[in-house]
Amino acid sequence: MATTSAPLFTLLEDNHHGYDRAEVDHFMARAREAYDSGRGMPLSEIRGASFSMGPGGYDPAEVDSALDRLEDAFAGAERDRYIEQYGEDAWYEQLHLRSQPLRSRMERPDAQRFREPAGESSTGYRKNEVDQLCRQLEKYLDGENPMSVDEIRTITFSTGTNSEAYDEAQVDAFLDRMTEIMASVG
């Protein structure tokens, strides 16, 4: 006789769209195995996880929140392994080196930190909002502005067009790298 396991997350009614249960269960099982084995999982794989949407399924907000916690757990485990092997000073030196390309971008003048969206009437993130965040992140890296990684994960920007906007993909890639560093700090 086959048994069914309890769902990992809240299952939505069929009149609401949620994440495909089988896809989420498969991903979470792989993540658990990677964590338990100590081999880790690339943070970019966790951050890039996506699941099909359909009637019923898992509550997306719960799954997304679990992915954030999973990313934090893997980043913490990676940090702990590195510190155990090389020491805490070496860990902070590595974080400093990883943050340098981001810092270089943040030090650019306002309205020049990222490329503009391609195309005549393309949209992107408003430059002034992204520039403001970059100034806050510079202070964070200098130890002058406490911020949580969740502030970066959940940030939203207004959209603009052409010269008043930055290319979304480039800003998102920058924020992904910043999230990785912030999650690694612990």
Side-chain angles (χ1 to χ4, degrees):
M1 171 186 240
T3 60
T4 58
S5 61
L8 297 175
F9 303 98
T10 301
L11 285 169
L12 300 177
E13 300 292 327
D14 286 341
N15 59 343
H16 291 90
H17 281 74
Y19 289 148
D20 182 273
R21 182 178 175 179
E23 291 176 15
V24 173
D25 288 348
H26 177 73
F27 182 86
M28 292 298 182
R30 284 188 323 108
R32 177 176 298 282
E33 183 202 326
Y35 188 83
D36 289 346
S37 72
R39 74 173 187 275
M41 177 180 264
L43 299 181
S44 60
E45 185 176 347
I46 299 167
R47 201 171 309 110
S50 63
F51 309 104
S52 302
M53 296 282 288
Y58 285 137
D59 181 340
E62 283 185 25
V63 174
D64 290 345
S65 180
L67 290 172
D68 290 345
R69 291 189 307 275
L70 192 62
E71 180 180 8
D72 292 345
F74 275 104
E78 176 186 317
R79 176 191 64 233
D80 293 347
R81 281 191 304 272
Y82 192 94
I83 289 172
E84 185 177 311
Q85 187 171 1
Y86 301 105
E88 192 169 5
D89 289 342
W91 175 251
Y92 283 107
E93 178 63 24
Q94 182 191 53
L95 284 179
H96 174 76
L97 292 173
R98 287 171 48 200
S99 72
Q100 287 312 300
L102 303 176
R103 187 179 286 277
S104 294
R105 183 169 296 280
M106 288 184 275
E107 291 171 350
R108 293 178 183 178
D110 283 356
Q112 297 178 25
R113 288 189 173 92
F114 302 92
R115 68 177 171 254
E116 294 176 359
E120 191 172 308
S121 60
S122 297
T123 61
Y125 298 138
R126 285 199 161 290
K127 286 181 178 180
N128 62 330
E129 294 175 17
V130 174
D131 289 338
Q132 179 183 3
L133 176 64
C134 285
R135 289 189 295 276
Q136 292 172 334
L137 289 171
E138 272 188 287
K139 289 180 180 178
Y140 167 81
L141 290 174
D142 292 338
E144 300 170 7
N145 183 31
M147 295 179 76
S148 77
V149 67
D150 288 331
E151 289 178 73
I152 304 306
R153 286 180 176 137
T154 60
I155 191 131
T156 57
F157 301 107
S158 303
T159 58
T161 56
N162 301 327
S163 64
E164 66 184 18
Y166 287 132
D167 178 74
E168 291 180 15
Q170 193 176 32
V171 174
D172 288 344
F174 167 84
L175 292 176
D176 281 347
R177 288 190 299 279
M178 193 67 206
T179 298
E180 187 175 312
I181 287 171
M182 291 175 80
S184 297
V185 172

